[in-house]
C-alpha cells in the first residue's frame, strides 16, 4: 500500500517504522519495569502531540487566534494528515506554543467520531483498533478510486470516556443529525462499573515532571528527544495493553472539573435525546453495584467504586424528573452496601475536590426523601423506617454529612479528651463501670473526626434537617428499633436528619422508660419488705429552697445516684399543689433564680453578652456546683426548660471538648477581638505595640487583681511574632479550662449523675443541647394561637377568644413571658417553637369577678366568660402579675 493510501496518524508514523517499533519495545521492557517516571513522561508527551495535531488540523476554535501554528489563525495552509502528524512531533520537540482549547466551538471532522460496539454509524465510518483510547487520533486519507469516499477500518466503542471524546461525539451527532452514537456510548459507559470508573480520570503523572489535565504545556516535559518521542509513539499498542492490565489494580482519581464541563455540554442538548438511555444505564449500573459490593473482599482496591459515585452524583438532572424517581433511588439502594473504607474515601473526595457539589448532592437526596415520604402510604404495618429508598438515601447522606464537616473548619482532636475522669472520686467512677456509652460511628472512627471537632461546617448543619421526614417519623417505633438487637434501622443512629424537636421525643422516650424501670424496681423491693421509693421526692421550703434542695440531693447522690433517674416529684412545704409537672417547673425556676444571684458569687456575668460563667475565686463548696449540674441534668431528664444563659463553650465542654481560642468569641467578644488583632498584626514591632508578656491579670470576687504566669517567669517573656500563637492558646486555655477546673468538674459530675446513660451525646450537638435546656428563641405567639385548642364551649370564633388573642398580641414581651409562666409553669419557649405547647383554653363558668386560673401541669387556662374585653384584660393582667405558688383561690 502506498503512503497515500495508508491511514496515517502520529501513532502509525512510528508503527510503520520497524526500527522505531523495535526500539520502542526494547525501551518499554526496560522503562516500564524499572522507571515508572519515564513511562509517565511518555504518556504526557503523547497527549501533547495529539493536542498539536488537533491544533494544526482543527484549530483551537478562537476566531481571533494569532498563533501561526494553529488552524484557527488563518495563517496556516491546509495540511494532509501525514504532514500534520509529522509537524506535530516537530512542534513538540521545539516546545512550540499551544492554544487554549475551546471544545464547544471546535468543529470536529467526520473521521473523529467513535462508533458503538459491534456497529458503525454509516457504511463509510469504521475505526481501526480493538481498543481505542479516547485521546487517540483517528484520521484518514482519500481513496484512490473515489475522491468523495472515506475508508476506515472497524473498531468498537472505547471502554471509557474523556471530556474531549464526549465533545467529539456530540459534535459529530449534531453534524449528522443522528444521536445513535451518543445514546450507545452513554449506555455502554454508564452501565458498567469498570468503564465508568476509568472515564474522566486525571492525567497519570506523579513525578517531578508532573503534567496535569489543566497544565499540559510543552515546557513541563523534559528529557525526551525527537527519537524518543517517535519511540514512545511506537509503543502505543503495548502501552495500552499494560495500562489496561494495571487499571484493574490502580484507578486514577476522577477529574471532577472535566466531568462538570462534559455534563454541561451534554445537557445543552435536549434531554429527551439521551435521558432514557442514561437513566436505564444508571439503573443497570446500580444493579451491578448491588450485586458486586456485598461480595467484594476488603483488601480489594475500591477506587473504582469511588470514581463511579463521584461521576454519577455530578449529573445535573439527578434530582429531577425520571432521574429522581428511578435512577437516584437505584443508586442509593446500591450505595448502602459500601464498605466503611469506601465511604471514608468518598467523604474525603467530596470534602476536597468535590466540595462545590456538596449542596447540590444534599438537595438531591433531600428531594428524594421528601418525595418518598409524600408518596408512600405509611400505615401500622409499614413505617417510614421500613421504606428502603428513604433509609438508603439517609445512609448516603451520612457520608455527605461527614464530608461537609471535613470541608469546613476543623479543630485538633487533641482538644477532645476525657478530662473529667482525673478529678472525680473513685466511688463515682466505680458506679460508672457498667454504664452504657454512646456507640462509636465506624465512619467517624475511620475518618478520625467527631462532630465536636467541627468549628464551622461547609454548609450549616441545619440544612441536613428534613422537617417532613421528622414530622412523619413515629419516635416510639424508632426508639424501639434503636433498642432492638436485631439490627433494625433507626433514625436515632442518623440524628443529623432529624429536627431537634423530633430528637427530643427520642430522648423523652428513653428517659420515661428509665423512670418506669426504676419504679418497677422500687415496687419489687417493696414486695420483699424493703422500703419503696418509686419517685424522686423533694420537699423544700420556698424561702430556703437552695439549702433544702442541696441537702436532699446531696444525700441521694451519696446514697444511691440511680435514684436521680426516678421521676421528680416536688412538694413546697405549706402549699397544696400536687406535682404533675407544674410544681417541678416552678421549683427549677426558683433554684435557677437563687443560684445565679450575685450574692452567692458562684457565677460571674459577662457585661457584653450577659452570659454567666464560673467564678474562679468562688468560696462556695464543690457540692454547690454539683447541685447546679444535677439541676441541669434533672431539667433535661424531666423535660423542663430553664432560664439559664451560659455561653456555648459550656455545652461544648459538657460534651467533652476543651475550650479554645475560638470559644472566646461568644464568651468575651472584646477580649477575642483584641487577641485576634494581635494575631493579625504582622510588623516586627509587635512587642512594642502591644507591650504584653506571658503574665496576665484577673480580678477575684472582691475586685482584687491577681497575677498569673502562663509560662514559668512569664513576666520576663514578651509576646513576639514567633510566640504570639502560643500565648493566645495558653491564655484561652487558662480562662476557659484551668482557672475554673475545680468548679466545672464538680458541675460536670452532677450533670453526668443524671444523664450518663441517656442517648444525649448521640442525638444532640452542643448548640442543640443549649436549645434543649434553654428553649427556642422564636417567641412567636401567632404559632401559639394557631396551635391552641378550646374546651367547655369555647371555639376560635367565640367573641371572648377573639378578644383574648387581641389582648395577648398587644402585650409587651415581658408580659407575654408572664402569661407563659402563668399558663405552663415556664416562661421559656419549648424546642420547636410555641406550637409545641398545645395550650388549651377552657370555659370556667359565666361572667364573674374571679381571676383566670391555670393547670400548669397540663397547659390549661381556665377562663370565665367575661362580659367585656376591658374586664377580660383587667382580670388577665392581674392574674399573670400577682399569682405565685399553689394555694386555694
Amino acid at each position: 500500500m502506498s503512503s497515500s493510501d495508508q491511514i496515517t496518524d502520529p501513532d502509525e508514523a512510528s508503527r510503520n517504522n520497524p526500527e522505531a517499533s523495535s526500539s520502542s519495545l526494547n525501551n518499554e521492557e526496560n522503562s516500564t519495569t524499572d522507571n515508572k517516571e519515564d513511562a509517565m513522561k511518555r504518556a504526557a508527551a503523547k497527549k501533547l502531540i495529539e493536542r498539536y495535531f488537533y491544533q494544526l488540523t482543527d484549530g483551537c476554535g478562537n476566531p481571533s487566534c494569532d498563533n501561526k501554528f494553529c488552524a484557527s489563525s488563518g495563517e496556516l495552509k491546509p495540511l494532509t494528515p501525514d504532514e500534520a502528524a509529522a509537524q506535530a512531533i516537530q512542534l513538540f520537540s521545539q516546545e512550540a506554543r499551544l492554544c487554549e482549547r475551546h471544545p464547544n466551538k471546535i468543529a470536529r471532522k467526520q473521521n473523529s467520531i467513535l462508533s458503538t460496539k459491534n456497529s458503525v454509524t454509516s457504511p463509510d465510518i469504521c475505526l481501526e483498533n480493538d481498543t481505542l483510547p479516547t485521546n487517540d487520533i483517528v484520521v484518514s486519507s482519500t481513496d484512490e478510486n473515489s475522491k468523495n469516499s472515506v475508508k476506515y477500518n472497524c473498531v468498537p466503542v472505547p471502554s471509557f470516556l474523556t471530556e474531549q471524546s464526549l465533545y467529539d461525539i456530540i459534535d459529530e451527532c449534531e453534524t449528522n443529525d443522528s444521536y445513535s452514537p451518543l445514546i450507545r456510548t452513554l449506555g455502554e459507559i454508564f452501565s458498567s462499573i469498570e468503564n465508568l470508573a476509568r472515564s474522566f480520570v486525571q492525567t497519570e503523572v506523579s513525578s517531578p515532571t508532573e503534567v496535569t489535565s489543566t497544565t499540559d504545556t510543552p515546557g513541563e516535559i523534559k528529557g525526551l528527544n525527537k527519537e524518543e518521542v517517535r519511540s514512545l509513539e511506537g509503543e502505543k499498542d503495548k502501552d495500552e495493553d499494560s495500562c489496561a492490565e494495571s487499571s484493574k489494580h490502580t484507578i486514577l482519581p476522577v477529574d471532577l472539573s472535566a466531568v462538570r464541563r462534559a455534563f454541561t455540554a451534554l445537557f445543552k442538548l435536549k434531554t429527551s435525546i439521551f435521558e432514557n438511555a442514561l437513566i436505564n444505564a444508571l439503573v443497570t449500573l446500580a444493579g451491578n453495584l448491588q450485586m458486586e459490593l456485598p461480595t467484594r473482599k476488603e483488601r480489594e482496591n475500591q477506587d473504582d467504586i469511588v470514581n463511579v459515585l463521584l461521576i454519577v452524583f455530578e449529573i445535573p438532572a439527578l434530582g429531577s424528573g425520571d432521574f429522581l424517581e428511578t435512577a437516584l433511588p437505584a443508586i442509593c439502594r446500591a450505595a448502602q452496601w459500601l464498605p466503611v473504607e469506601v465511604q471514608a474515601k468518598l467523604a474525603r473526595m467530596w470534602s476536597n475536590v468535590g466540595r462545590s457539589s456538596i449542596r447540590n448532592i444534599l438537595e438531591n437526596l433531600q428531594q428524594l426523601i421528601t418525595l418518598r415520604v409524600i408518596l408512600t402510604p405509611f400505615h401500622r404495618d409499614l413505617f417510614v423506617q421500613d421504606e428502603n429508598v428513604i433509609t438508603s438515601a439517609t445512609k448516603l447522606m451520612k457520608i455527605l454529612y461527614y464530608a461537609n464537616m471535613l470541608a469546613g473548619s476543623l479543630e485538633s482532636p487533641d482538644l477532645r479528651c476525657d478530662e473529667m475522669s482525673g478529678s472525680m472520686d473513685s466511688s463515682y467512677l466505680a458506679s460508672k463501670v457498667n454504664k452504657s456509652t454512646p456507640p462509636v460511628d465506624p465512619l467517624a472512627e475511620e475518618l478520625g473526626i467527631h462532630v465536636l471537632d467541627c468549628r464551622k461546617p461547609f454548609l450549616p448543619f441545619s440544612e441536613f434537617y428534613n422537617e417532613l421526614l421528622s414530622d412523619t417519623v413515629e419516635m416510639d417505633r424508632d426508639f424501639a428499633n434503636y433498642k432492638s438487637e436485631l439490627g433494625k434501622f433507626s433514625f436515632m443512629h442518623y440524628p443529623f436528619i432529624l429536627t431537634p424537636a423530633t430528637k427530643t421525643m427520642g430522648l423523652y422516650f428513653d428517659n420515661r422508660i428509665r423512670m418506669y424501670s426504676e419504679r418497677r424496681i422500687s415496687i419489687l423491693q417493696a414486695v420483699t419488705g424493703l422500703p419503696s421509693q418509686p419517685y424522686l421526692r423533694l420537699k423544700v421550703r420556698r424561702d430556703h429552697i437552695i439549702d433544702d434542695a442541696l441537702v436532699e440531693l446531696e444525700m441521694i447522690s451519696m446514697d444511691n445516684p440511680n435514684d436521680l433517674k426516678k421521676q421528680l416529684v416536688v412538694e413546697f412545704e405549706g402549699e397544696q399543689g400536687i406535682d404533675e409537672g407544674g410544681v417541678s417547673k416552678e421549683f427549677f425556676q426558683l433554684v435557677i433564680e437563687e443560684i445565679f444571684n450575685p450574692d452567692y458569687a458562684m457565677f460571674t456575668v459577662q457585661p457584653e453578652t450577659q452570659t454567666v460563667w464560673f467564678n474562679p475565686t468562688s468560696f462556695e463548696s464543690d457540692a454547690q456546683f454539683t447541685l447546679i449540674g444535677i439541676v441541669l441534668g434533672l431539667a433535661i431528664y424531666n423535660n423542663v426548660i430553664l432560664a439559664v444563659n451560659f455561653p456555648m463553650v459550656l455545652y461544648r465542654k459538657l460534651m467533652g471538648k476543651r475550650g479554645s481560642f475560638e470559644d472566646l468569641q461568644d464568651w468575651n467578644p472584646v477580649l477575642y477581638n483584641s487577641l485576634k488583632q494581635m494575631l493579625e498584626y504582622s510588623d516586627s514591632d509587635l512587642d512594642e505595640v502591644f507591650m504584653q508578656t506571658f503574665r496576665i491579670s484577673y480580678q477575684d470576687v472582691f475586685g482584687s487583681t491577681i497575677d498569673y504566669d502562663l509560662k514559668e517567669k512569664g513576666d520576663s517573656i514578651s509576646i513576639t511574632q514567633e510566640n504570639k500563637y502560643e500565648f493566645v492558646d495558653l491564655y484561652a486555655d487558662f480562662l476557659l479550662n484551668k482557672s475554673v477546673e475545680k468548679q466545672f468538674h464538680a458541675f460536670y459530675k452532677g450533670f453526668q449523675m443524671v444523664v450518663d446513660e441517656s442517648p444525649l451525646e448521640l442525638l444532640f450537638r452542643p448548640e442543640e443541647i443549649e436549645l434543649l435546656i434553654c428553649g427556642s428563641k422564636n417567641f412567636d405567639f401567632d404559632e401559639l394561637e394557631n396551635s391552641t385548642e378550646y374546651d367547655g364551649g369555647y371555639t376560635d370564633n367565640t367573641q371572648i377568644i377573639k378578644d383574648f388573642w387581641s389582648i395577648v398580641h398587644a402585650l409587651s414581651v415581658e408580659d407575654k413571658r408572664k402569661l407563659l409562666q402563668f399558663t405552663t409553669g415556664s416562661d421559656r419557649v419549648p424546642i420547636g417553637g410555641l406550637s409545641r405547647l398545645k395550650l388549651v383554653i377552657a370555659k370556667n363558668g359565666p361572667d364573674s369577678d374571679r381571676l383566670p386560673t391555670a393547670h400548669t401541669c397540663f397547659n390549661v387556662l381556665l377562663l370565665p366568660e367575661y362580659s367585656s374585653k376591658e374586664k377580660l384584660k383587667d382580670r388577665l393582667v392581674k392574674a399573670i402579675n400577682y399569682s405565685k405558688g399553689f394555694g386555694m383561690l
Side-chain angles (χ1 to χ4, degrees):
M1 182 180 293
S2 64
S3 60
S4 60
D5 295 327
Q6 180 68 39
I7 298 178
T8 308
D9 63 15
D11 296 330
E12 292 178 321
S14 60
R15 283 202 297 271
N16 289 336
N17 186 337
E19 293 181 1
S21 177
S22 175
S23 174
S24 68
L25 292 174
N26 292 333
N27 188 36
E28 177 195 10
E29 185 177 12
N30 295 325
S31 63
T32 56
T33 303
D34 302 323
N35 198 335
K36 184 178 180 181
E37 181 176 336
D38 288 342
M40 293 179 179
K41 288 182 182 179
R42 290 194 297 275
K46 181 178 71 173
K47 183 172 181 179
L48 285 174
I49 293 172
E50 292 169 355
R51 287 190 59 188
Y52 279 118
F53 179 89
Y54 281 122
Q55 180 174 293
L56 290 167
T57 56
D58 293 347
C60 67
N62 183 4
S64 58
C65 179
D66 60 351
N67 186 357
K68 65 180 180 179
F69 299 116
C70 177
S72 296
S73 67
E75 300 180 14
L76 189 68
K77 67 176 183 178
L79 300 174
T80 66
D82 287 344
E83 292 172 340
Q87 191 167 349
I89 296 174
Q90 184 179 5
L91 292 176
F92 168 78
S93 301
Q94 297 172 354
E95 299 184 359
R97 174 184 170 188
L98 264 175
C99 297
E100 290 186 9
R101 289 175 288 186
H102 298 258
N104 290 334
K105 300 176 183 178
I106 297 175
R108 294 295 176 204
K109 297 184 178 181
Q110 183 160 336
N111 55 34
S112 67
I113 191 168
L114 305 176
S115 68
T116 57
K117 202 175 264 188
N118 300 325
S119 66
V120 292
T121 57
S122 73
D124 295 330
I125 298 178
C126 293
L127 299 175
E128 181 186 337
N129 300 320
D130 291 336
T131 302
L132 177 65
T134 53
N135 282 333
D136 280 359
I137 306 165
V138 182
V139 295
S140 68
S141 61
T142 306
D143 191 288
E144 288 183 351
N145 299 324
S146 174
K147 293 184 178 181
N148 295 325
S149 65
V150 183
K151 179 83 173 170
Y152 296 85
N153 293 324
C154 193
V155 66
V157 162
S159 58
F160 57 90
L161 270 179
T162 66
E163 177 186 4
Q164 190 61 56
S165 64
L166 184 59
Y167 292 148
D168 292 344
I169 296 173
I170 292 173
D171 290 343
E172 194 66 35
C173 289
E174 290 179 333
T175 300
N176 294 333
D177 197 23
S178 172
Y179 292 90
S180 296
L182 175 64
I183 293 172
R184 291 169 182 156
T185 301
L186 293 178
E188 181 70 22
I189 299 299
F190 282 85
S191 63
S192 166
I193 298 174
E194 181 181 0
N195 292 352
L196 190 55
R198 296 172 60 225
S199 298
F200 305 107
V201 296
Q202 298 178 14
T203 306
E204 185 180 359
V205 289
S206 60
S207 68
T209 56
E210 182 175 8
V211 180
T212 66
S213 59
T214 58
T215 58
D216 293 334
T217 59
E220 293 176 316
I221 300 178
K222 306 292 183 183
L224 293 179
N225 57 35
K226 184 175 180 179
E227 204 59 42
E228 289 172 326
V229 171
R230 292 184 178 275
S231 175
L232 72 87
E233 286 292 282
E235 291 176 328
K236 187 180 91 169
D237 291 336
K238 191 165 184 178
D239 278 347
E240 287 168 1
D241 293 338
S242 63
C243 288
E245 181 65 26
S246 65
S247 68
K248 297 177 182 179
H249 307 286
T250 303
I251 300 294
L252 298 175
V254 169
D255 185 350
L256 285 181
S257 297
V259 172
R260 291 163 188 154
R261 292 192 298 268
F263 279 139
T264 298
L266 177 65
F267 278 83
K268 285 182 179 178
L269 302 174
K270 292 181 179 180
T271 54
S272 58
I273 294 173
F274 61 86
E275 183 179 61
N276 288 338
L278 185 54
I279 290 173
N280 292 335
L282 290 174
V283 172
T284 303
L285 175 72
N288 294 334
L289 285 170
Q290 201 160 352
M291 287 188 294
E292 183 171 336
L293 283 174
T295 60
R296 280 203 171 200
K297 297 179 181 179
E298 291 185 3
R299 66 177 182 271
E300 289 184 0
N301 191 300
Q302 304 282 4
D303 291 341
D304 54 345
I305 303 298
V306 176
N307 281 9
V308 165
L309 293 176
L310 287 173
I311 294 172
V312 167
F313 279 96
E314 290 295 329
I315 297 176
L318 199 60
S320 60
D322 290 340
F323 285 95
L324 179 63
E325 295 182 11
T326 306
L328 184 55
I331 295 296
C332 289
R333 281 192 294 264
Q336 67 182 324
W337 295 100
L338 292 175
V340 174
E341 296 81 2
V342 180
Q343 295 180 37
K345 286 184 179 180
L346 186 59
R348 291 190 183 102
M349 290 296 292
W350 272 337
S351 70
N352 189 4
V353 295
R355 69 172 58 193
S356 61
S357 299
I358 290 179
R359 183 183 297 277
N360 186 55
I361 298 171
L362 176 60
E363 289 175 353
N364 290 343
L365 293 175
Q366 292 282 34
Q367 288 177 19
L368 175 61
I369 292 172
T370 300
L371 179 66
R372 289 289 174 155
V373 170
I374 294 173
L375 296 181
T376 306
F378 298 110
H379 48 79
R380 59 180 298 177
D381 296 322
L382 178 64
F383 296 92
V384 67
Q385 295 89 345
D386 303 322
E387 218 289 330
N388 184 254
V389 172
I390 293 176
T391 58
S392 60
T394 302
K395 292 176 181 178
L396 190 57
M397 193 185 293
K398 184 176 78 170
I399 303 175
L400 200 67
Y401 178 72
Y402 283 111
N404 185 55
M405 286 192 283
L406 290 172
S409 175
L410 294 175
E411 288 186 319
S412 170
D414 295 338
L415 292 171
R416 172 171 34 98
C417 59
D418 187 13
E419 62 169 343
M420 311 308 165
S421 58
S423 66
M424 293 188 178
D425 55 80
S426 58
S427 62
Y428 175 67
L429 291 176
S431 70
K432 286 179 63 67
V433 169
N434 297 321
K435 303 298 184 184
S436 59
T437 57
V440 178
D441 190 327
L443 179 55
E445 190 173 30
E446 179 73 19
L447 292 170
I449 64 170
H450 191 279
V451 67
L452 292 174
D453 300 336
C454 187
R455 173 62 61 176
K456 184 179 180 182
F458 182 69
L459 299 178
F461 284 125
S462 58
E463 293 196 19
F464 283 81
Y465 298 149
N466 189 301
E467 294 190 7
L468 184 61
L469 172 67
S470 298
D471 292 339
T472 306
V473 171
E474 296 187 24
M475 287 306 295
D476 54 346
R477 169 66 59 173
D478 199 73
F479 181 78
N481 288 356
Y482 166 71
K483 287 293 187 179
S484 172
E485 297 180 356
L486 301 178
K488 294 183 177 181
F489 182 90
S490 169
F491 285 103
M492 289 181 66
H493 289 297
Y494 303 85
F496 55 83
I497 199 172
L498 299 177
T499 61
T502 301
K503 287 187 282 192
T504 302
M505 291 301 299
L507 186 65
Y508 173 82
F509 284 120
D510 183 83
N511 294 340
R512 288 296 170 182
I513 288 174
R514 190 164 287 109
M515 289 178 185
Y516 297 151
S517 176
E518 293 293 336
R519 194 178 305 169
R520 286 196 299 270
I521 293 173
S522 181
I523 293 173
L524 290 175
Q525 289 176 342
V527 172
T528 60
L530 296 175
S532 175
Q533 292 291 340
Y535 298 97
L536 173 60
R537 293 188 178 275
L538 296 179
K539 187 173 183 179
V540 296
R541 294 168 293 174
R542 188 177 291 272
D543 295 335
H544 298 83
I545 191 168
I546 296 298
D547 295 335
D548 292 350
L550 175 62
V551 170
E552 293 203 39
L553 290 175
E554 189 172 20
M555 291 179 61
I556 291 170
S557 63
M558 292 176 61
D559 183 40
N560 185 9
N562 282 335
D563 284 350
L564 295 172
K565 297 180 175 62
K566 296 177 180 178
Q567 184 175 351
L568 178 65
V569 176
V570 177
E571 178 184 348
F572 284 103
E573 190 174 286
E575 300 183 18
Q576 301 178 19
I578 298 176
D579 191 5
E580 293 289 343
V583 181
S584 296
K585 291 178 184 178
E586 186 178 16
F587 164 76
F588 282 114
Q589 182 181 11
L590 294 176
V591 168
I592 292 300
E593 288 178 358
E594 288 291 322
I595 211 73
F596 289 112
N597 190 318
D599 294 340
Y600 277 90
M602 294 178 63
F603 295 89
T604 61
V605 178
Q606 295 293 340
E608 299 86 3
T609 60
Q610 291 300 302
T611 56
V612 295
W613 189 245
F614 303 96
N615 182 357
T617 60
S618 173
F619 292 120
E620 298 296 335
S621 65
D622 290 354
Q624 295 277 31
F625 289 98
T626 301
L627 169 63
I628 297 303
I630 291 175
V631 168
L632 205 68
L634 286 175
I636 293 176
Y637 196 63
N638 290 271
N639 201 29
V640 176
I641 297 172
L642 300 180
V644 296
N645 193 21
F646 288 116
M648 183 56 63
V649 62
L650 176 94
Y651 303 105
R652 292 173 63 83
K653 286 171 70 68
L654 283 176
M655 303 295 280
K657 192 71 179 288
R658 292 172 62 85
S660 64
F661 168 65
E662 291 299 330
D663 289 307
L664 294 176
Q665 187 169 9
D666 75 321
W667 184 79
N668 190 332
V670 174
L671 176 61
Y672 174 81
N673 291 329
S674 298
L675 294 176
K676 189 174 182 181
Q677 185 180 8
M678 176 189 293
L679 294 178
E680 293 174 349
Y681 190 83
S682 58
D683 293 342
S684 59
D685 61 345
L686 182 143
D687 55 337
E688 299 176 2
V689 173
F690 288 90
M691 300 178 64
Q692 177 66 52
T693 67
F694 273 78
R695 171 171 289 182
I696 61 171
S697 302
Y698 64 97
Q699 291 184 334
D700 64 9
V701 67
F702 300 108
S704 302
T705 300
I706 301 176
D707 294 328
Y708 179 82
D709 287 349
L710 298 175
K711 295 176 67 174
E712 187 177 356
K713 297 181 180 180
D715 61 329
S716 62
I717 305 175
S718 297
I719 308 301
T720 64
Q721 291 291 354
E722 290 72 26
N723 63 20
K724 63 182 181 181
Y725 287 97
E726 180 187 12
F727 168 77
V728 167
D729 289 340
L730 290 174
Y731 196 3
D733 184 52
F734 172 75
L735 292 175
L736 301 176
N737 303 311
K738 290 183 178 179
S739 67
V740 296
E741 186 173 20
K742 176 174 172 289
Q743 294 85 348
F744 178 75
H745 283 166
F747 174 84
Y748 180 82
K749 174 185 174 181
F751 182 76
Q752 284 295 317
M753 283 181 179
V754 185
V755 305
D756 58 348
E757 291 183 297
S758 78
L760 188 69
E761 294 183 24
L762 171 70
L763 293 175
F764 298 94
R765 300 188 308 274
E767 59 270 24
E768 293 174 325
I769 295 289
E770 180 189 34
L771 198 62
L772 183 66
I773 294 174
C774 304
S776 171
K777 296 179 182 179
N778 184 18
F779 212 73
D780 188 353
F781 265 69
D782 289 329
E783 286 187 6
L784 182 62
E785 180 180 359
N786 293 332
S787 62
T788 296
E789 298 177 358
Y790 304 95
D791 195 12
Y794 285 155
T795 69
D796 55 354
N797 289 321
T798 305
Q799 185 59 44
I800 189 173
I801 296 300
K802 293 181 180 180
D803 292 340
F804 173 82
W805 288 114
S806 175
I807 294 169
V808 168
H809 289 306
L811 293 175
S812 65
V813 173
E814 184 61 29
D815 283 341
K816 287 179 178 178
R817 288 191 178 277
K818 291 178 181 179
L819 176 62
L820 285 180
Q821 176 69 44
F822 177 74
T823 55
T824 68
S826 172
D827 65 349
R828 313 294 288 185
V829 179
I831 188 170
L834 286 173
S835 60
R836 299 278 174 173
L837 278 179
K838 302 301 181 185
L839 178 67
V840 176
I841 301 178
K843 187 175 180 179
N844 192 23
D847 179 37
S848 70
D849 291 332
R850 290 183 300 169
L851 297 177
T853 56
H855 295 309
T856 56
C857 305
F858 309 104
N859 299 341
V860 176
L861 174 63
L862 300 175
L863 194 66
E865 193 171 10
Y866 296 112
S867 58
S868 67
K869 181 177 180 180
E870 290 73 19
K871 188 174 183 179
L872 168 62
K873 181 177 180 180
D874 177 72
R875 297 297 186 271
L876 182 64
V877 171
K878 285 180 178 178
I880 65 178
N881 279 289
Y882 302 119
S883 64
K884 195 170 188 179
F886 293 80
M888 297 295 291
L889 293 177

